[in-house]
């Protein structure tokens, strides 16, 4: 496996400063700090400028920082000062004039405190930035793609265990726990998010919490799950299993969702607009009469976070580029009855895309014999 090149990532970020009107940046998003340095802790900000790169942290992380990112200078504060004061002092000693901050990751209160501290320390300016590091993170490097592929493999192996041991008496919560522990058995550091396990009417809630419904209560079992691997990268899949005799409506909904997903995936390539791909799937679901029952976006980027900034929805103004990874997850949810979502992870290649997830998704392949 190739290792991550943090210096190169920071170099790419620095090259964007002039175009957005800053000479330095305070990165406060935990996953962006990790992406740029390898540091896995929290509560720490990264100050990036052409002449000085420094992590602003506290004594809890002093030893960890030295081990995880020895190439980055660390300023460690004790309990008597705040990260805000440390940031203001760092800006002054770096002699910077216009520092960007991450508008989506700094609370209003912290921003106010930072402004006051900066004014009394140096008089430099603070400029809100939106999505600066996140946009860079949309295109994955080789190391990241290896990690994502591993997170997918772990998730798929965990699912295999669940699928082959399904019982009529199992509850959604039983399945959740088995899935989580199976993914750990295969090397996962944990689930990528709380697995969504829904039987029948629960499956009609797109982000349901697993509860006490039993597999035997309804032929539809929806499982939306993913793993986080050792390097912090995630996967995100959804499958519907048919655990009993399906009605005609279940089959129709399933085939509609699968057809929409297939058509959307076929349209993903560099230069394709995310909104157009969303429209393809949404149009097919509408043509089948289920327009009202598909309310969420078609997919999202993922990586260190389960939802990253790339979005496929009618509101998106983004285009695909090689190296982006995105979920494709149309769904139809019939309240009180059941829901079907099929979700795969797709890599944009130089001339199209590659579906990274391999769990079968044909309707015939969704049938599973359930033990009593
Ligand atoms: N598991 C959450 C999602 O599919 O976006
Ligand atoms: Mn999902
Ligand atoms: Mn998803």
């Amino acid at each position: 496996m190739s290792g991550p090149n943090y210096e190169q990532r920071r170099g790419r970020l620095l090259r964007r400063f002039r175009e957005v009107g800053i000479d330095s940046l305070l990165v406060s998003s935990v996953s962006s700090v990790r992406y740029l340095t390898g540091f896995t802790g929290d509560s720490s900000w990264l100050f990036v400028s052409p002449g000085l790169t420094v992590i602003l942290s506290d004594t809890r992380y002093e030893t960890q920082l030295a081990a995880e990112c020895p190439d980055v200078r660390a300023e460690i504060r004790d309990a008597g000062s705040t990260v805000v004061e440390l940031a203001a002092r760092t800006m002054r000693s770096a002699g910077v004039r216009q520092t960007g901050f991450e508008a989506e990751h700094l609370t209003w209160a912290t921003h106010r405190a930072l402004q006051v501290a900066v004014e009394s320390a140096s008089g430099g300016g603070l400029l809100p930035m939106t999505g600066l590091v996140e946009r860079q993170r949309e295109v994955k490097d080789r190391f990241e793609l290896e990690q994502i592929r591993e997170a997918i493999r772990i998730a798929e192996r965990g699912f295999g265990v669940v699928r082959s041991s399904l019982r009529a008496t199992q509850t959604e919560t039983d399945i959740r726990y088995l899935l989580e522990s199976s993914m750990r058995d295969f090397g996962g550091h944990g689930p990528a998010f709380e697995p969504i396990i829904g039987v029948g009417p629960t499956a009609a809630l797109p982000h349901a919490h697993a509860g006490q419904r039993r597999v035997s209560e309804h032929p539809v079992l929806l499982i939306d799950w993913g793993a986080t691997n050792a390097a912090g990268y995630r996967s995100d899949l959804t499958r519907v299993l048919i655990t009993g005799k399906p009605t005609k409506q279940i089959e129709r909904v399933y085939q509609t969702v699968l057809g929409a997903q297939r058509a959307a995936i076929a349209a993903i390539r560099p230069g394709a607009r995310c909104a157009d791909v969303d429209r393809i799937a949404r149009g097919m679901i509408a043509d089948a009469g289920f327009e009202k029952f598909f309310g969420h976006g078609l997919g999202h980027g993922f990586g260190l976070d389960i939802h990253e900034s790339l979005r496929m929805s009618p509101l998106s103004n983004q285009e695909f580029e090689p190296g982006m990874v995105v979920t494709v997850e149309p769904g139809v949810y019939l309240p009180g009855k059941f829901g079907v979502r099929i979700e795969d992870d797709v890599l944009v290649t130089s001339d199209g895309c590659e579906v990274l997830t391999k769990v079968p998704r044909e309707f015939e392949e969704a049938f599973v014999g359930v033990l009593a």
Side-chain angles (χ1 to χ4, degrees):
M1 272 194 189
S2 52
N5 189 332
Y6 299 113
E7 201 177 337
Q8 195 174 63
R9 293 178 186 173
R10 294 193 298 269
R12 277 183 60 203
L13 179 65
L14 278 163
R15 285 195 288 282
R16 306 225 20 235
F17 280 11
R18 189 193 296 266
E19 151 201 347
V20 296
I22 55 174
D23 59 8
S24 49
L25 179 69
L26 276 171
V27 182
S28 54
S29 145
V30 170
S31 8
S32 287
V33 170
R34 181 170 188 171
Y35 170 79
L36 292 167
T37 66
F39 175 55
T40 63
D42 56 24
S43 318
S44 304
W45 295 358
L46 178 69
F47 176 82
V48 190
S49 71
L52 176 68
T53 296
V54 52
I55 290 195
L56 314 175
S57 191
D58 60 72
T59 53
R60 288 173 300 167
Y61 289 124
E62 193 166 5
T63 309
Q64 186 176 329
L65 278 162
E68 290 184 339
C69 36
D71 62 324
V72 180
R73 182 168 143 191
E75 287 290 341
I76 303 295
R77 66 183 178 84
D78 60 24
S81 68
T82 65
V83 67
V84 161
E85 290 162 5
L86 196 50
R89 277 206 304 277
T90 304
M91 286 167 60
R92 186 182 52 193
S93 68
V96 291
R97 302 303 310 159
Q98 200 66 278
T99 301
F101 66 93
E102 296 187 292
E104 289 168 306
H105 300 286
L106 216 55
T107 64
W108 185 75
T110 305
H111 173 255
R112 288 199 65 175
L114 183 60
Q115 196 141 38
V116 170
V118 167
E119 273 161 20
S120 68
S122 74
L126 286 170
L127 213 61
M129 294 285 124
T130 302
L132 197 58
V133 187
E134 286 88 339
R135 269 196 297 280
Q136 183 171 329
R137 285 170 51 193
E138 285 172 3
V139 174
K140 271 52 186 179
D141 58 34
R142 213 164 82 194
F143 170 79
E144 293 184 288
L145 291 175
E146 284 166 0
Q147 303 309 313
I148 287 170
R149 285 180 195 274
E150 183 179 72
I152 290 171
R153 279 198 302 276
I154 293 166
E156 291 184 329
R157 294 180 77 185
F159 181 78
V161 169
V162 165
R163 185 183 165 130
S164 63
S165 60
L166 269 188
R167 288 182 174 273
T169 52
Q170 267 175 323
T171 65
E172 295 158 345
T173 299
D174 293 336
I175 294 171
R176 173 186 161 188
Y177 292 166
L178 176 60
L179 186 53
E180 289 180 353
S181 70
S182 301
M183 290 193 291
R184 286 198 174 88
D185 289 344
F186 293 119
H189 264 214
F193 52 89
E194 180 188 313
I196 299 164
I197 317 287
V199 172
T202 315
L205 309 172
H207 275 188
H209 296 290
Q212 295 307 314
R213 257 187 232 280
R214 290 182 194 278
V215 169
S216 57
E217 286 178 43
H218 196 280
V220 167
L221 169 63
L222 182 148
I223 302 184
D224 179 348
W225 83 108
T228 304
N229 84 339
Y233 283 83
R234 296 168 201 258
S235 51
D236 188 7
L237 301 86
T238 307
R239 286 293 181 269
V240 162
L241 296 176
I242 308 295
T243 60
K245 192 171 159 33
T247 61
K248 284 262 175 302
Q249 190 184 40
I250 291 172
E251 175 164 10
R252 193 159 164 267
V253 168
Y254 192 103
Q255 298 290 15
T256 299
V257 170
L258 182 58
Q261 197 215 30
R262 242 197 226 115
I265 291 172
I268 295 178
R269 64 177 65 91
R273 295 181 59 235
C274 293
D276 290 341
V277 177
D278 177 276
R279 189 174 309 118
I280 289 170
R282 207 167 294 281
M284 289 178 68
I285 288 172
D287 288 348
F290 297 119
E291 184 172 16
K292 280 201 326 243
F293 306 106
F294 174 36
H296 58 73
L298 181 64
H300 54 86
F302 63 96
L304 286 170
D305 291 318
I306 191 59
H307 294 127
E308 297 196 352
S309 63
L310 183 66
R311 293 295 158 125
M312 269 198 287
S313 86
L315 298 176
S316 174
N317 56 12
Q318 295 169 289
E319 285 184 3
F320 287 113
E321 292 172 42
M324 288 177 163
V325 291
V326 69
T327 67
V328 185
E329 50 178 307
V332 167
Y333 311 96
L334 303 179
K337 292 181 158 180
F338 65 91
V340 171
R341 176 168 62 257
I342 303 173
E343 177 175 25
D344 283 277
D345 299 342
V346 170
L347 165 67
V348 184
T349 58
S350 58
D351 58 354
C353 69
E354 176 190 346
V355 180
L356 301 175
T357 36
K358 304 292 180 215
V359 183
R361 59 198 153 120
E362 295 300 327
F363 183 63
E364 297 68 30
E365 294 167 314
F367 283 71
V368 53
V370 172
L371 302 169

